[in-house]
Amino acid sequence: MHAICHRRTVLPSSLVRRPRYRDEGKWCNHPQALCFLLQLYTLDHRQTLLSMARKGSFGDAHVSSGLHREIIGDILRLGRDEGWAVDAPVGEKPLAARLGVSRTPVRRALIDLSERGILRRELGSGFKLNRPIDAAVIAECSNDAAGGAELYRKILNDRASGLIPLSVTENALLVHFGASRGDLRRALLRLSAEGIVQRQRGHGWQFSESLDNPQAILESYAFREAVETAALSQPDYRIDGAALERMRNAHEALMRKPASEIAPDMWFQVNAEFHETLASWSRNRFFLQAVKRQNALRRMHQFVDFPQLTPDQIKQSCEDHLAILDALAAGDRPRAVALLSAHLSQAAQDWHNQN
């Protein structure tokens, strides 16, 4: 590739090569990226730029690092919560679909995990789990993102408790939590991706509508019972055997854990994915959208209410879910509908009794 000249400044070809992976974008052809590189180079930052070029693409270092850490954390939490076995295949495409991102950042995360020895890459068969995923592995890989993840939980709790207003600025949140700006932005980006907050024009963030009073929570349970049982009764309903087994493994892994090791986000993720997956098998987008919307609305109150759940209630909920999966696997949808209706009705009653 020819060097680029601009006002007598020559930029080495190594700085404008394409990134390591051809589908990560062609930032080297973007005028703003070139302008930024030229400015840095004329300001005598040659060594920094050359180091960046040796490591890979410029865009990765400045645009995707937060997303990269989040995806690594999400993959590890899935592996932990679902009890992935050593030598189990870890597929790029299914992970991208489950995490709601493109395959490129997932591929980068899998390569990173293979370089750490957590996965291994086998020629012709993709990635496989190389060692069990436990708390130590997650801690090892999440030092950079730990502050953002902890802050994410604090924001959910404080918003659900009314300690944060519906509309708030980043500066107000920085003062409230005493956090770093980097951790705050990572937490806000994750909340935004989940539909809990959205950036306002000008400045600040707006929290989405949530279940912020007892009547709304009970109405949500009634709505979910009507919608989710209707989804199971659709004529085109068809289960995915692999997804069913994955959910079964996730629930069984959760039941093996001591109650003290079950975090609110772990519990909510397994719970939400169960209900969304059942709705997705209806092959009706509107049922799935309705269930996803309810999960987004109930996320905050679930975080606040989680400490009130007893180990027996968590176990009972998992057993209810497994019974529903067994009925579906056996082709007995009427029984699955009855079990799901009873499960949601009992959950509403339990919440009412505790609150």
Side-chain angles (χ1 to χ4, degrees), residues 21 33 35 41 79 87-89 99 105 176 185 211 247 304 336 343 353:
Y21 303 106
C35 180
Y41 196 72
D87 295 328
L99 299 178
H176 179 78
R185 287 185 175 169
L211 305 176
M247 286 196 296
V304 172
H343 168 68
N353 293 340

Side-chain angles (χ1 to χ4, degrees), residues 134-209:
D134 54 21
V137 168
I138 293 176
E140 171 189 328
C141 297
S142 61
N143 288 335
D144 291 339
E150 179 63 25
L151 189 56
Y152 164 88
R153 290 188 284 270
K154 288 181 179 179
I155 292 173
L156 284 174
N157 277 311
D158 285 8
R159 171 59 198 144
S161 303
L163 300 176
I164 301 175
L166 192 63
S167 179
V168 65
T169 65
E170 282 192 21
N171 285 338
L173 290 172
L174 287 171
V175 172
H176 179 78
F177 291 108
S180 71
R181 191 171 295 275
D183 282 347
L184 178 62
R185 287 185 175 169
R186 280 194 291 275
L188 289 172
L189 285 173
R190 179 177 173 184
L191 291 164
S192 177
E194 293 170 351
I196 296 172
V197 297
Q198 57 185 355
R199 191 185 292 276
Q200 292 181 298
R201 288 185 177 181
H203 71 286
W205 295 80
Q206 177 83 20
F207 282 88
S208 302
E209 179 187 5

Side-chain angles (χ1 to χ4, degrees), residues 290-310:
V291 173
K292 284 186 172 182
R293 176 62 176 155
Q294 286 299 306
N295 280 341
L297 288 172
R298 68 191 182 97
R299 183 179 292 268
M300 281 194 287
H301 95 77
Q302 291 268 301
F303 266 71
V304 172
D305 293 344
F306 180 78
Q308 300 179 37
L309 287 177
T310 66

Side-chain angles (χ1 to χ4, degrees), residues 306-321:
F306 180 78
Q308 300 179 37
L309 287 177
T310 66
D312 286 343
Q313 286 176 313
I314 293 174
K315 180 182 177 183
Q316 184 61 56
S317 181
C318 287
E319 289 176 346
D320 288 353
H321 286 185

